Amino acid sequence: MADDAATPVDFWFDPLCPWAWITSRWILEVEKLRPIKVRWHVMSLSVLNEDKEVPEEYRQAIEEGWGPVRVCVAAEQKYGPEVLGRLYTEMGTRRHHEKQQFGRPFYEAALTAAGLDPELADAAESTVYDEAVRASHKDGIDRVGQEVGTPVIAVEGNAFFGPVVSPVPRGEAAVKLWDGVLAVAGTDGFFELKRSRTRDPIFD
């Protein structure tokens, strides 16, 4: 199906988050089976949590989270938003499946694999892109409120956090979840559906 005939689905991600990674692989599965077109955007757990009281180990993650979103925004500014999806795939595969740590070798490898200039790795240590990171983050989070995290999805005038799921739903299970999410998100006055997590992220 041509892109102009597909329903746009805006997806805000932070490469740091394993749950967002699983959801992103799910939405790509849905894209194969439903007439949608995913448009990728950066959000930042570092921005979201910078003024909040969080455990010390989480504070460290917040600090290291600036690097990958800066690199993503630098790539977006140089090449356009269409490169974000494949750069996120390269980052997420290395981070969540291969357990690599963020750092210059990580960024250079991901950028190169995505067909982008590896010198954009410089952005990880630069505050030049922070205003753009914050603006992209605000665009997503303003649609759902401050009490959520990543990912944020917006489709057909509705926006929501999640779904948080593990492992990645595939095939018919993926589209069944998508159809259900759309039904819930499109219900006037609906705000929350939640239960405690009983498993860690599972990466297939």
Side-chain angles (χ1 to χ4, degrees):
M1 174 173 290
D3 287 352
D4 58 1
T7 299
V9 176
D10 293 288
F11 190 109
W12 280 264
F13 68 92
D14 184 333
L16 182 68
C17 180
W19 296 102
W21 172 249
I22 291 175
T23 307
S24 74
R25 301 309 93 180
W26 162 72
I27 202 69
L28 288 176
E29 184 80 359
V30 175
E31 191 178 46
K32 299 174 188 176
L33 302 166
R34 285 286 190 269
I36 67 169
K37 176 62 178 177
V38 182
R39 302 187 299 198
W40 303 95
H41 311 273
V42 171
M43 67 179 294
S44 171
L45 292 174
S46 300
V47 173
L48 184 68
N49 293 302
E50 62 185 348
D51 296 322
K52 297 180 181 178
E53 292 293 329
V54 297
E56 181 57 33
E57 62 270 19
Y58 198 56
R59 176 64 58 190
Q60 294 173 2
I62 290 171
E63 292 174 359
E64 75 169 342
W66 276 105
V69 292
R70 286 167 172 165
V71 172
C72 284
V73 165
E76 180 182 24
Q77 289 186 359
K78 181 169 183 174
Y79 296 99
E82 62 275 7
V83 305
L84 282 178
R86 67 177 189 263
L87 179 56
Y88 180 33
T89 290
E90 295 299 337
M91 283 190 176
T93 300
R94 286 165 173 75
R95 175 71 176 188
H96 303 299
H97 294 263
E98 300 172 9
K99 308 303 180 185
Q100 296 182 24
Q101 297 301 306
F102 294 135
R104 188 173 185 89
F106 176 100
Y107 302 126
E108 288 182 343
L111 286 159
T112 299
L116 308 175
D117 182 1
E119 291 304 311
L120 290 174
D122 291 344
E125 302 299 326
S126 172
T127 59
V128 168
Y129 300 96
D130 289 5
E131 183 177 350
V133 169
R134 290 180 183 278
S136 182
H137 172 86
K138 185 176 187 300
D139 184 25
I141 207 70
D142 280 356
R143 301 168 190 245
V144 290
Q146 296 289 327
E147 296 79 25
V148 301
T150 177
V152 168
I153 294 175
V155 55
E156 296 183 324
N158 297 302
F160 49 88
F161 159 65
V164 177
V165 62
S166 179
V168 180
R170 301 288 184 183
E172 184 58 33
V175 294
K176 183 178 180 180
L177 177 58
W178 174 248
D179 292 343
V181 166
L182 288 186
V184 167
T187 299
D188 182 51
F190 180 85
F191 298 109
E192 187 169 356
L193 179 69
K194 187 172 183 177
R195 58 186 173 191
S196 296
R197 299 175 193 174
T198 57
R199 64 178 66 160
D200 292 329
I202 299 171
F203 309 117
D204 57 7

